[in-house]
Amino acid sequence: GGNKVARNLDGNKFDVRLVSPSNHFLFTSFLPATAVGTLEFRAVQEPVRTNPNLSQYYQAKATRLYPKEKKVVCTDIFKEKEFELEYDFLIIAAGCKTNTFRTPGVDEREGIEVFFLKHLYHARQIRSRMLECFERAAMPARVKPGEVPTAESAAKRQEEIDRLLSFVVVGGGPTNCEFATELKDFLTKDVARWYPDLVDRVKVTIVEAGPKILGMFSEHLIEYYLAGLQRKEVDVRVNTLLAKVEIRTASL
């Protein structure tokens, strides 16, 4: 919204100044494709400074507002130094943040095992983490010098591989369903060539707290998409809540 307004304002009539911690406009609907490499990151973003009507851009966060004085206090994202901007007209387009519903472990494990999908760096993190999981799964079992592998250690290694190659998508909305589809296609088409011995071990699960995925769409469309997910062997679990996230497990 803020990007659209800034581009539509006449730069000859207004001194248009934009404050945002992100220096690009993001086509969010394409993020699932960037996470698996179908699209490159540069294809889904538009730099803020390409706006011909913009007189000034500040990569910062607006932290305080003084309506009487018509001033807004901002903090730059690099050195966290504050500065003030005066205005005649103020447009607030704050966007939104992912609601974690205070699920234990989600905030604590973010960027490690837990990843959101709202920004470019989220998609980069997901792509990097997926490749890391496959590389770790492809490693031989760790055996100490002089130690003979046992059936128990071999079983534990197989359990670890299954854990590394299990991907859980929480939420059955449009973005998550699209991401699960993109992920499954990526795993069966690209990863199958790179890790042929591991591709059959991969598991993709969608967890939805409500009674159905894509709840805002028609029943016909839901049934059609669900059938497609089932053909791709994506495990869809409805009426299922994410209870907590721990270091190696997600409790449902």
Side-chain angles (χ1 to χ4, degrees), residues 61-197:
K61 294 182 179 180
T63 54
R64 296 194 304 278
L65 175 63
Y66 299 100
K68 290 184 179 180
E69 293 83 0
K70 287 195 171 184
K71 291 183 180 180
V72 58
V73 178
C74 306
T75 304
D76 83 80
I77 67 169
F78 304 106
K79 297 293 185 178
E80 296 187 349
K81 293 183 177 180
E82 290 190 343
F83 59 93
E84 290 185 350
L85 293 176
E86 295 182 346
Y87 64 86
D88 293 311
F89 304 97
L90 179 66
I91 298 172
I92 300 176
C96 61
K97 295 193 69 173
T98 301
N99 188 351
T100 65
F101 299 98
R102 298 184 180 180
T103 304
V106 172
D107 288 332
E108 295 84 352
R109 307 306 299 171
E110 182 186 355
I112 306 172
E113 296 97 2
V114 176
F115 302 94
F116 299 132
L117 191 54
K118 289 184 71 68
H119 302 285
L120 273 182
Y121 72 89
H122 288 155
R124 290 191 181 99
Q125 287 177 329
I126 291 172
R127 187 192 294 191
S128 177
R129 177 64 174 177
M130 284 193 301
L131 294 177
E132 176 194 332
C133 287
F134 274 95
E135 292 295 350
R136 289 171 61 186
M139 296 290 286
R142 290 178 294 178
V143 180
K144 295 180 181 179
E147 185 178 67
V148 178
T150 64
E152 182 181 0
S153 64
K156 287 184 177 179
R157 176 55 183 165
Q158 295 307 309
E159 289 178 4
E160 176 68 2
I161 291 174
D162 288 337
R163 184 188 70 82
L164 287 168
L165 301 183
S166 178
F167 302 92
V168 180
V169 181
V170 180
T175 300
N176 287 11
C177 286
E178 182 182 355
F179 173 69
T181 304
E182 291 272 7
L183 175 59
K184 191 64 177 181
D185 289 343
F186 169 69
L187 296 175
T188 54
K189 295 177 182 178
D190 295 327
V191 173
R193 298 198 305 268
W194 307 330
Y195 308 92
D197 55 328

